[in-house]
Amino acid sequence: MNLNQLFCEMIQYYRNDPKRIQHFTKVHSYAKLIGELSGMQGEELLTLEAAAYVHDIGIKVAEEKYGSSNGRLQEQEGPAVAEEMLGRLHFDEKIIRRVSYLVGHHHTYDQIDGLDYQILVEADFLVNLYEDGVTKEAVMHAYNKIFRTEHGKRICAEMFGIEE
C-alpha cells in the first residue's frame, strides 16, 4: 500500500484526460496541506490523501453508463471502483471502507461526519471554485456555508481575496 502507487494508478485510470488528472492532483495537494496543518497524521491522513486521489473516480463509469457526471451519479458509481483499486493496491480494509464512504458522499454537504470528510469537501471546493470560474458571490456563499476548518477558510480567503 503506497500513495505514490495510487497516484500513478489514477493517472493511468484517467489516461488521456489531463483535466481530470490535474483536478485530483490539486484536490490531493490542498487536502494534504489542510490535513497536516490541522494536525492529522498516520492512518487518518493516509485515508484523507487516498480519498482525495480517488474522490471523483465514479465520473468515468457515470459518463459511460448515463452520459452524465453529476455529483449524485459520481457518489453512486464511485465507491465500487475505488474499493477495487484500493484493494488491488493492498490498502487496509478499514481505510478502504472509509475512503469508499467518502467517495460515496463527497457531494453531500449536510452529513459531514468527520474531519477527513470536511477537509475533502473543502479541498474539492477550492479547486472547483477556481476551475469553474464562479462569481465572487458564489465564492462567498461557499466560504460561509461550506468552509469550517481554520486552514481551509484561510486558504479560501487568501486565494479569492475574501476579507475575514
Side-chain angles (χ1 to χ4, degrees), residues 2 10 14 20 41 45 49 59-60 71 73-74 87 99 107 117 121 133 142:
N2 178 321
M10 285 300 296
Y14 281 126
R20 296 260 157 72
Q41 53 188 330
L45 183 61
E49 288 190 65
I59 285 177
K60 260 178 78 167
L73 293 174
Q74 288 179 42
V99 169
H107 286 288
Y117 191 162
V121 167

Side-chain angles (χ1 to χ4, degrees), residues 6 9 22 29 34 50 71 77 81 84 87 96 114 116 118 121 128 134 138 144 147 152:
L6 180 59
E9 190 79 15
Q22 292 288 318
S29 182
I34 296 167
E77 299 299 330
V81 184
E84 186 280 325
I96 293 172
D116 54 357
Q118 181 65 43
V121 167
N128 284 330
V134 301
N144 290 320
F147 287 83

Side-chain angles (χ1 to χ4, degrees), residues 75-157:
E75 289 181 338
Q76 175 183 308
E77 299 299 330
V81 184
E83 289 168 14
E84 186 280 325
M85 184 180 288
L86 294 170
R88 193 166 18 86
L89 295 175
H90 308 291
F91 276 77
D92 182 79
E93 187 58 39
K94 181 180 175 190
I95 292 172
I96 293 172
R97 278 195 311 275
R98 183 61 178 173
V99 169
S100 177
Y101 177 82
L102 294 172
V103 169
H105 292 82
H106 76 282
H107 286 288
T108 303
Y109 310 124
D110 60 352
Q111 299 174 16
I112 294 176
D113 68 353
L115 186 59
D116 54 357
Y117 191 162
Q118 181 65 43
I119 291 172
L120 178 63
V121 167
E122 290 180 10
D124 200 23
F125 261 84
L126 286 170
V127 176
N128 284 330
L129 289 170
Y130 171 73
E131 288 180 349
D132 296 345
V134 301
T135 65
K136 184 75 164 192
E137 293 76 27
V139 171
M140 285 303 302
H141 180 77
Y143 179 82
N144 290 320
K145 296 289 183 191
I146 298 296
F147 287 83
R148 297 283 173 259
T149 70
E150 171 192 351
H151 304 289
K153 286 181 81 97
R154 188 181 78 242
I155 292 167
C156 184

Side-chain angles (χ1 to χ4, degrees), residues 18-74:
K19 181 180 178 188
R20 296 260 157 72
I21 294 167
Q22 292 288 318
H23 178 80
F24 79 72
T25 301
K26 291 184 279 188
V27 171
H28 171 266
S29 182
Y30 288 118
K32 183 179 190 316
L33 176 63
I34 296 167
E36 288 178 345
L37 290 173
S38 299
M40 282 184 150
Q41 53 188 330
E43 188 175 280
E44 186 180 33
L45 183 61
L46 177 66
T47 301
L48 172 63
E49 288 190 65
Y53 278 135
V54 302
H55 73 283
D56 280 345
I57 201 166
I59 285 177
K60 260 178 78 167
V61 177
E63 287 177 339
E64 290 166 4
K65 276 184 163 178
Y66 310 105
S68 172
S69 64
N70 80 46
R72 185 186 60 76
L73 293 174
Q74 288 179 42

